[in-house]
Amino acid sequence: DPARVCAFMHTALESLVHALEQAPDTPSHAIEVLPPHEKLLLQAWNRTETDLPSDGTIITLFEAVAARHAQQVALVFEDDELTYAQLNVRANRLAHYLVEQGVHADELVAICVQRSPEMIVAVLAVLKAGGAYLPLDPALPAARMAYMFNDAQPRLLLTQSHLNITQNATPTVFLDRDAEKFSGFPEHNPPQRAWPEHLAYAIYTSGSTGNPKGTLIQQGALVNLALAQREALGLQPGLRVLQWASFNFDASVQDIFPTLCAGAQLCLASREAVLPGQNLFETLRRQRIELIALTPSSLAALPVEMLPDLKTVVVGGERCEHALIAPWLKRYRVINVYGPTEATVCATIYPCRQDGERHPAIGRPIANTQVYILDAWLNPVPFGVVGELYIGGEGLARGYLGRPDLTAERFTQNPFSEQPGARMYKTGDLARYLPDGQIEYVGRADHQVKIRGFRIELGEIEFTLGSLPGVREAVVLAQQAIGGPRLIACVAAEAGVDAPTLRKALAQKLPEYMVPAHFIFLDKLPINTSGKIDRKALEALEPAAVETAAQAAPRSALEQRLAHLWAELLGRSSIGRDENFFDAGGNSLLAVRLVARINAEWACSLPV
């Protein structure tokens, strides 16, 4: 809105001039430019306080639901069902056994099992015993799993004998082979052994140092998530929810706990049965799933066909495009959620609209959560201005396991809270407020590279590329080449969209140095085990190997030699005789190198 922009600039300049008159030495970043009405609205949108049980844990919530809905189905796996009463009894027996093994509050117990009722029983039992669970995928590489055990030092490992998962330094309980050991333990609920300030789970996420880092989530944060999601998603007794996310991915927490704390049915399936695509579609149909939470990349792999029982599709974990969800919005309720692991899975929520923008908003904060969009000096930015997103409130993690330095760096004092010791988490995500108070995710602040001396945020290019007509998904990478780093755009697009079209459109929106040198077109972008776009798989692709444009081959020996020089500098396997150097990925610095090579080889002095 040009009028609104002009009004804001007028107010900001007035504030600047007034501040300089009063105190000329005031740093510019310390001058308040946020319009008063926007400041009041930002405060109002962060008033999300909701009562929580003062001493409640996720287990006290679950046990209350299990008592009220004892004969309701709690778990479904293939042809087997467990009622809430049966699930609670099985978890209680194992919990009493774990207490005997010395498990206590704030102590980690590793769980490495296949998708099965045993997975849920083990999670509940560890929490009932007062401990915190450490989820591990049996498919993890041995070296990575060994690192996690060495780093986390869990008291016990709960696993299945056929998986052959053992760690010499960790006592192991086989849930199948050792079942007789705990089958005779009491069926009643153990006394409460943990409180809101104690750990509930630790999940490992990628670390910038090359090793994963454990994020520590407390009971109070998990309770807040379960209650907020139960309300926001409309979870009710009997509703059938698919447990889709990988166990060691934090989205599994959103699958499990809000469902079991609402009396709904948690439907499990094998790894093969939930693979995105036709397998997952058949599982949704066969199990009559009514609610599912997926990443946008996984939703993109699903056929858009009628699922008569499905009511709600939740998308999260990465940026969503309206073009992706538009066909689903015609039949189902679609909810876009956002939140890092460090904020207990979900911090904001947005019911998508059929007339939505190209990039659906991520919404507003959930209960007991505050969201701030700040500049580099931690000042709130005006509506429409991109800043870094910070999160405060009940959902914040305790920090990183054994990483006090990183914890202090990412979890800082919250200057906007009146509560003593309140913290906020620096997400590294870029966002902005829309005029109606919804938040729009823009990209990452830390995917930062330098190309030819220019500092570039890859998220900005991805955001612009994703806004172009016909582009479904896009990821931009920086890849090392002979002439220095080059930008590679990996694109899933509609038929007819080609590199020249995208390059021309981007050149109208971005500086020349931000236009990718190469475009790789794929039917769909690869997905990793967490259901997100697999950047490592994309980094392994070679642009030359997937270029499909038919080019006229060089004819004479001179043309062949020149084309060979081009290919070396541009990182291409071949060059067509009619190609343009700059459209093929060249730039001014590479042009200088090219002319130098030509002059040296042919003993001439062509000008650049």
Side-chain angles (χ1 to χ4, degrees), residues 276-456:
Q278 194 62 36
N279 284 16
L280 178 57
F281 180 83
E282 293 301 330
T283 297
L284 294 174
R285 184 188 294 276
R286 184 175 60 256
Q287 295 209 27
R288 296 179 289 112
I289 298 301
E290 296 172 89
L291 185 149
I292 185 171
L294 296 168
T295 60
S297 301
S298 298
L299 181 65
L302 271 181
V304 185
E305 299 175 20
M306 190 60 188
L307 290 163
D309 298 289
L310 188 64
K311 296 180 176 67
T312 303
V313 177
V314 180
V315 290
E318 55 192 354
R319 191 176 63 205
C320 185
E321 307 291 343
H322 183 75
L324 168 65
I325 61 174
W328 298 89
L329 280 167
K330 296 177 181 178
R331 298 173 178 172
Y332 316 107
R333 179 175 64 149
V334 180
I335 297 176
N336 193 25
V337 297
Y338 160 84
T341 301
E342 292 84 350
T344 314
V345 189
C346 178
T348 67
I349 190 165
Y350 178 71
C352 298
R353 308 191 313 265
Q354 289 200 34
D355 61 346
E357 299 295 328
R358 182 172 292 274
H359 305 290
I362 59 173
R364 293 184 184 174
I366 65 170
N368 298 305
T369 301
Q370 292 77 48
V371 172
Y372 313 100
I373 303 176
L374 310 177
D375 63 19
W377 297 276
L378 303 186
N379 299 312
V381 298
F383 295 2
V385 176
V386 174
E388 185 170 356
L389 195 149
Y390 288 73
I391 300 172
E394 294 292 337
L396 290 196
R398 179 186 292 181
Y400 300 113
L401 178 63
R403 299 289 302 276
D405 53 341
L406 187 58
T407 299
E409 175 187 332
R410 301 306 293 270
F411 295 86
T412 60
Q413 180 183 357
N414 186 345
F416 308 102
S417 175
E418 296 178 357
Q419 295 183 2
R423 302 174 303 151
M424 61 182 186
Y425 172 67
K426 176 182 171 69
T427 68
D429 289 325
L430 300 176
R432 59 181 159 215
Y433 272 109
L434 300 175
D436 61 355
Q438 305 293 343
I439 299 169
E440 181 183 51
Y441 175 86
V442 174
R444 286 292 296 174
D446 56 3
H447 282 168
Q448 192 180 88
V449 297
K450 275 195 172 184
I451 304 291
R452 294 153 51 198
F454 295 101
R455 181 177 292 177
I456 296 173

Side-chain angles (χ1 to χ4, degrees), residues 15 56 288 323 459 496 507 529:
S15 300
R288 296 179 289 112
T529 56

Side-chain angles (χ1 to χ4, degrees), residues 72 78-79 81 89 102 328 337 355 392 410 423 487 565 573:
Q72 291 264 17
E78 296 177 346
D79 297 327
E81 293 182 347
V89 165
W328 298 89
V337 297
D355 61 346
R410 301 306 293 270
R423 302 174 303 151
L487 295 174
L565 290 180
S573 59

